[in-house]
Amino acid sequence: MHHTETNLIEINNKIKNKINSLSLDQYNPKVIAVSKTFKERDILPLLDYGHCDFGENKVQEALLKWPNLKEKYKNVKLHMLGKLQTNKAKFAVEIFDYIHSLDSLKLANKLANEIHKKDKKVKMFIQINLGGEKQKSGIEPNDLETFYTSCLSLKLDIVGTMCIPPDNQDPKYFFKELLNLNNKIKLPEISMGMTNDYLEALEFRSTYLRIGTGIFGKRTN
Ligand SMILES: *Cc1c(COP(=O)(O)O)cnc(C)c1O
């Protein structure tokens, strides 16, 4: 068995055990295998295993890697996780099924234009900057409700919220914060939890775990 498949199976087991220990039923979070920088030979074993959700953080890289794979594996859902420049919105809606990094009104407008022009179905997460970090993207928590209303009037299909907690701080504080914000606007999905903290994210009802290193190994670039 290829190491990416072994890793994924192990992670799925840990998730199952964690959910059992939390005594939650009817809770089926999804794992997004974050394949950025990795090549087909590491991705194919997961596709053949039947895994469906994959994540990338660059439009250009996704366009090089995924059109053929999506043609062959029809159930694949591709998730855009990285910062999306407005001039790439056009290409992003061609290849991605989900965009987790909706972070400005300008981008929302651009995406709405492209989606309606091409009659695409793209689900979106509003990225929230919980740590108030200048270098990170995202909507300020206080602006969430207004921003969400604007997205609805643009007829965007907003399914949830997303965060990347600051490094070197307890992620639980931020996971709890995002769960609260998400409940305020009553969205079904929450995108949080990465290789180092996905088990903690389950305690706060994450529905999409974004796991790269834990499945594919260390990234070299
Ligand atoms: C790369 C990336 C991940 C995966 O990170 P790992 O620590 O390798 O699991 C998750 N979310 C986003 C937004 C990323 O860019």
Side-chain angles (χ1 to χ4, degrees), residues 34-47:
V34 184
S35 52
K36 62 190 186 196
T37 78
F38 288 93
K39 305 250 166 11
E40 264 196 22
R41 64 165 179 277
D42 294 311
I43 299 171
L44 280 169
L46 300 179
L47 289 165

Side-chain angles (χ1 to χ4, degrees), residues 80-97:
M80 172 59 176
L81 308 177
K83 172 84 184 163
L84 181 55
Q85 306 296 341
T86 46
N87 61 3
K88 303 261 173 66
K90 182 164 82 175
F91 306 106
V93 305
E94 296 286 344
I95 188 82
F96 288 105
D97 302 283

Side-chain angles (χ1 to χ4, degrees), residues 109-145:
N109 274 302
K110 198 76 206 281
L111 285 169
N113 263 337
E114 296 297 335
I115 285 171
H116 300 137
K117 198 158 67 188
K118 296 184 187 127
D119 200 19
K120 290 275 178 190
K121 294 207 172 3
V122 185
K123 296 181 195 295
M124 290 182 207
F125 292 79
I126 299 172
Q127 182 171 353
I128 304 180
N129 188 353
L130 291 177
E133 297 171 285
K134 284 207 179 64
Q135 75 280 16
K136 276 202 188 141
S137 340
I139 301 295
E140 294 299 317
N142 285 335
D143 298 336
L144 176 60
E145 283 170 87

Side-chain angles (χ1 to χ4, degrees), residues 130-169:
L130 291 177
E133 297 171 285
K134 284 207 179 64
Q135 75 280 16
K136 276 202 188 141
S137 340
I139 301 295
E140 294 299 317
N142 285 335
D143 298 336
L144 176 60
E145 283 170 87
T146 316
F147 182 72
Y148 177 54
T149 310
S150 307
C151 292
L152 290 185
S153 53
L154 288 168
K155 299 197 163 39
L156 289 175
D157 186 4
I158 307 290
V159 297
T161 52
M162 177 270 212
C163 76
I164 308 172
D167 295 335
N168 310 317
Q169 286 186 52

Side-chain angles (χ1 to χ4, degrees), residues 27 61 105 176 209-210:
Y27 176 40
E61 185 179 345
L105 202 51
K176 185 165 184 217
L209 309 165
R210 310 180 308 258

Side-chain angles (χ1 to χ4, degrees), residues 34 36 57 81-82 162 164 194-196 210-214 219:
V34 184
K36 62 190 186 196
N57 70 338
L81 308 177
M162 177 270 212
I164 308 172
M194 314 192 345
T195 296
N196 288 330
R210 310 180 308 258
I211 304 181
T213 317
R219 289 178 290 272

